Structure formats: structure tokens, C-alpha cells
Amino acid sequence: MSPKIQEATIREQRQMRQRQLMDAALSLAMEDGVDSVTVSAVAKRAGLARSSIYEYFASSADLIADLVMEEMAYYNKRLLKAVDNVDDPFEYISLWIEEALQYVVDGRHLLVKSLNTVTTPNYRKADIAQGHRDLIGTIIKPLNAIGLTDVKLGLSYVQATIDVASVRIESGNDAALEIKYAQNYALAGLKALREL
């Protein structure tokens, strides 16, 4: 009689396989863009049968939704690490902007851009929306702390500044200078908004 498989062992096996598939999909997306993330390409990269993917994901869109969620969580951790133990709200905002733009410099934002072009299954949209809210949540408290009467307006201006700096960095401008410009511009703008 063979030994009985424990639930924890099955769970660990499933987690390992799912991680293997996610890593294969991530590497494909980073190398060749999101269009390369197909069920057969992921299976081949992971060294598994194509049919085995469906044990873990309903479709390639479901797999990509998981990649989006994972990347947002990674980005969120980066932002929070950059501002860890920072009490001054202006310093916090400045460091947050720097890390957001460093993410652009590192090229990881291209993955998110490409992943966001895929239509995600309806049942995953709430999870992805929550991931976006979690990212925004990392900057709301310091925006409140500086005394803005309209935090959403302040957030919009910070995001617009990051968007412009991102385009300039992608266009080949000096990243360190663009980050400094964005920090200075955003902080000056927030201070001006505070006085309205």
C-alpha cells in the first residue's frame, strides 16, 4: 500500500506548479510582450503539457490577470519600501514619486502597460480594481497630511506629473534629472494647491 498523500503536500505541489506557470508567463511577457503569453507558449516554457495549464487557470486571460495582480503587488511593495519610516509628508511624497519613476527607469512599467491591453475576465475586474486602489492608497495619507482640501485633485496632479516625466524618460532624457524635475514640480504644485 502506498503512503497517503497529505493535503499540505498536494497544496505545496499545486503552488509550485502555479508559480512555475506564472514565472514562465512573466518571462514571456517581459521578453516578447503580452501577445506572446499564450497557453501553448507558457506550457512549453514551463515544460508542462498544454492541458495542465487549465488545472490552474481558466484561460490565458485569467493567467494574465494573475500577472497584473502580481505586478501591482510588486510595485506596491516597492513604493512602500521607498517610504518606510518616513514621517514628513512632503519627504514621503517626494520619495514616492522618485520610486514611481524608478519603476519606469527599470522598464517594469512596460510590462504593466502591455498587460493592461488584454481584456481581463469579468470575474477578475474587481480584484484588479482593488489592486489599483491599493496602489493609490499608498499616497493618500501624506496628501491628507499636507492639508489639501481636495486630495483627489492633488493626486491627479501628482499622477499627471509622473505621466509626463515617464514619457520624457522613455524618450531618452536623463532619468535622474527628470525625477528631480518631477519631484520639485509636484511638491511646489501641492504647496500651491494647499493655499487655495
Side-chain angles (χ1 to χ4, degrees):
M1 187 163 133
S2 61
K4 201 173 193 179
I5 297 174
Q6 299 296 315
E7 184 179 333
T9 304
I10 292 170
R11 184 174 25 246
E12 288 172 6
Q13 177 69 18
R14 287 192 60 75
Q15 288 172 344
M16 185 272 300
R17 285 282 185 236
Q18 191 168 16
R19 179 76 261 148
Q20 189 178 10
L21 292 167
M22 291 286 290
D23 288 345
L26 180 62
S27 68
L28 284 167
M30 293 198 56
E31 290 167 16
D32 301 317
V34 73
D35 292 336
S36 68
V37 181
T38 63
V39 171
S40 52
V42 171
K44 183 177 180 183
R45 176 69 60 99
L48 299 170
R50 184 178 189 264
S51 60
S52 66
I53 290 183
Y54 295 110
E55 294 176 34
Y56 303 93
F57 302 100
S59 64
S60 59
D62 189 37
L63 173 57
I64 289 169
D66 271 13
L67 284 178
V68 169
M69 294 297 301
E70 188 171 89
E71 190 61 23
M72 283 193 296
Y74 167 78
Y75 186 29
N76 197 334
K77 284 180 189 172
R78 280 184 65 160
L79 291 170
L80 290 174
K81 184 177 179 185
V83 297
D84 190 34
N85 294 320
V86 175
D87 294 323
D88 178 79
F90 284 108
E91 181 185 0
Y92 183 112
I93 293 165
S94 181
L95 291 170
W96 192 91
I97 290 169
E98 181 179 2
E99 188 59 34
L101 290 171
Q102 191 58 53
Y103 185 74
V104 173
V105 172
D106 294 348
R108 293 285 299 228
H109 74 296
L110 295 174
L111 173 63
V112 172
K113 275 184 172 180
S114 102
L115 291 174
N116 284 333
T117 64
V118 174
T119 304
T120 55
N122 285 334
Y123 66 92
R124 300 303 304 275
K125 289 184 180 184
D127 293 337
I128 291 171
Q130 184 60 51
H132 283 287
R133 284 191 295 275
D134 291 346
L135 280 172
I136 298 304
T138 61
I139 192 72
I140 295 299
K141 186 176 177 183
L143 289 173
N144 273 317
I146 64 172
L148 292 179
T149 54
D150 188 343
V151 172
K152 286 184 180 179
L153 178 64
L155 176 62
S156 295
Y157 279 104
V158 168
Q159 189 57 57
T161 302
I162 290 170
D163 291 346
V164 168
S166 297
V167 169
R168 291 182 54 82
I169 289 168
E170 289 173 346
S171 298
N173 290 304
D174 183 281
L177 280 176
E178 293 301 331
I179 290 170
K180 275 287 169 227
Y181 296 154
Q183 289 170 303
N184 291 341
Y185 183 82
L187 293 181
L190 290 171
K191 287 174 184 173
L193 283 177
R194 188 175 58 169
E195 312 219 345
L196 295 176

